[in-house]
Amino acid sequence: MLDVLAGHAARVRAADPLAGGQDRLPKPGLGEQLVEVPGAVGLASMDRSGLDTLNATWGPLVVHRLHARVGGPDPEAALGALLDAWTAAPRREPGPLAVLWPSRDTAAVRALAVRGFAPTVTVAARPRRPPAGQATDPRVRPATADDLDGIARLYEALVAYDAQFGWVTPRPSTPARIREHLTGTLPRSWAWVAEHDGTVTGVVIVDPPPRSRWIASMVTRMPAAYLGVMYADPAVRGRGVGAALAAAAHARLDAWGVATTLLHHAVANPLSGPFWARQGYRPVHTQWVRQGRPSAR
Ligand SMILES: CC(C)(COP(=O)(O)OP(=O)(O)OC[C@H]1O[C@@H](n2cnc3c(N)ncnc32)[C@H](O)[C@@H]1OP(=O)(O)O)[C@@H](O)C(=O)NCCC(=O)NCCS
């Protein structure tokens, strides 16, 4: 197993030095199983979200995950054998199967594609740039507590837009959870809004490094921050509002010394991928998913 871990870490490091957390497996939790085949080892786990939580909006209620590490001369064959062993195991609860894989380590991913896994979500990263000191856009200003209703409206619209791509699901509890979440986090976040004629038409929210530790190990350059919300109302899209919001956030991130800013976006979202690439982000990890039955949302 140590050989496999060392081989995996070396191959990923050569493919992408920014991809973090690849030199070990997470510690097995209660009831979690190691899956081992020649040349590969994985930790099988299950995430369950309560129906009334905000997590249940951002993903399915049950997700079966495989944390996979693959060494040896034929990564595709080894990952394929590991996936076959994992997918053959009986499961008491239905739910999609998910594998997070370093995006630039492409040597093994055919094993996922030919077994019905599809790329669904990208974890993208923007390395720090020297602070530019550019002028701020007059349409954009820091968010205040008075913006909560306007931001909540845009956050709900973001959820509805993202839900089209099959991972995010609006729940009956979503509006209330969003308001609670914003009430708790806005004062501790770096957040800006765009305003037109007194109406909030765009928002960006960043969790500063102390509140982004849960995702920081996905990269090797820290401190890391997490950009959790970006939305521009359809009425103002394509006129630079998103870029102005991103510029305000990046100016703060770069001045603070944040080494890497991370975000998630759906691979199938036709707006976010090109937009984030223009803003200096690129894929670090890709989540490959084999969907369960539609009822398992
Ligand atoms: C992604 C989003 C925030 C971009 O906001 P926006 O205000 O439309 O973006 P901008 O006008 O600032 O565009 C920035 C650049 O992308 C280009 N662009 C934006 N939308 C485009 C489109 N539909 N087609 C082609 N180019 C587009 C702009 O021309 C601009 O290019 P430039 O830098 O060369 O001038 C917005 O589309 C949105 O809210 N989408 C739905 C929610 C979403 O996907 N959020 C991100 C989830 S991770």
Side-chain angles (χ1 to χ4, degrees), residues 185-186 188-192 204-209 211-212 225-229 245-246 248-250 252-253 258 261-262 281:
T185 60
L186 262 188
R188 298 182 289 147
S189 301
W190 297 340
W192 291 262
V204 61
I205 305 178
V206 179
D207 290 333
R211 299 186 48 238
S212 299
Y226 183 67
L227 194 157
V229 176
L245 288 163
H250 293 155
R252 178 79 168 268
L253 288 155
V258 170
T261 305
L262 291 162
Y281 292 77

Side-chain angles (χ1 to χ4, degrees), residues 14-281:
D16 187 359
L18 186 58
Q22 300 300 307
D23 51 352
R24 67 200 124 77
L25 273 175
K27 283 210 180 74
L30 200 64
E32 292 182 351
Q33 306 287 340
L34 276 185
V35 187
E36 276 190 86
V37 297
V41 58
L43 177 69
S45 66
M46 187 181 88
D47 289 353
R48 191 193 281 105
S49 301
L51 190 55
D52 272 349
T53 65
L54 191 54
N55 277 350
T57 293
W58 282 114
L61 298 180
V62 171
V63 182
H64 299 280
R65 294 190 186 277
L66 182 69
H67 308 269
R69 305 290 184 259
V70 171
D74 191 344
E76 181 192 335
L79 180 60
L82 188 70
L83 290 170
D84 290 341
W86 177 54
T87 54
R91 284 181 183 81
R92 263 176 289 153
E93 297 189 50
L97 308 179
V99 179
L100 192 70
W101 195 259
S103 307
R104 291 190 179 181
D105 177 30
T106 53
V109 294
R110 193 170 181 280
L112 288 155
V114 299
R115 285 168 179 78
F117 286 79
T120 53
V121 177
T122 295
V123 178
R126 174 188 180 271
R128 179 174 185 261
R129 293 176 179 179
Q134 63 217 21
T136 50
D137 189 296
R139 296 170 295 185
V140 166
R141 61 167 173 78
T144 72
D146 291 341
D147 296 316
L148 197 127
D149 283 345
I151 294 175
R153 179 174 44 79
L154 297 183
Y155 195 131
E156 280 184 54
L158 170 63
V159 166
Y161 187 79
D162 244 322
Q164 299 175 106
F165 310 114
W167 192 250
V168 171
T169 306
R171 314 268 182 197
S173 62
T174 299
R177 291 298 92 79
I178 286 174
R179 273 169 179 76
E180 278 169 22
H181 172 75
L182 289 173
T183 303
T185 60
L186 262 188
R188 298 182 289 147
S189 301
W190 297 340
W192 291 262
V193 291
E195 205 174 28
H196 291 79
D197 301 328
T199 301
V200 173
T201 52
V203 62
V204 61
I205 305 178
V206 179
D207 290 333
R211 299 186 48 238
S212 299
R213 290 201 189 99
W214 62 277
I215 197 169
S217 67
M218 290 225 185
V219 285
T220 51
R221 270 181 246 152
M222 288 174 236
Y226 183 67
L227 194 157
V229 176
M230 165 66 90
Y231 190 81
D233 190 273
V236 301
R237 277 183 206 158
R239 291 194 235 153
V241 166
L245 288 163
H250 293 155
R252 178 79 168 268
L253 288 155
D254 292 339
W256 198 91
V258 170
T260 316
T261 305
L262 291 162
L263 56 81
H264 287 93
H265 71 80
V267 173
N269 182 336
L271 299 178
S272 60
F275 174 78
W276 288 124
R278 281 172 190 248
Q279 305 306 322
Y281 292 77

Side-chain angles (χ1 to χ4, degrees), residues 2-26:
L2 288 179
D3 281 3
V4 170
L5 292 179
H8 177 90
R11 192 190 62 256
V12 174
R13 207 177 312 117
D16 187 359
L18 186 58
Q22 300 300 307
D23 51 352
R24 67 200 124 77
L25 273 175

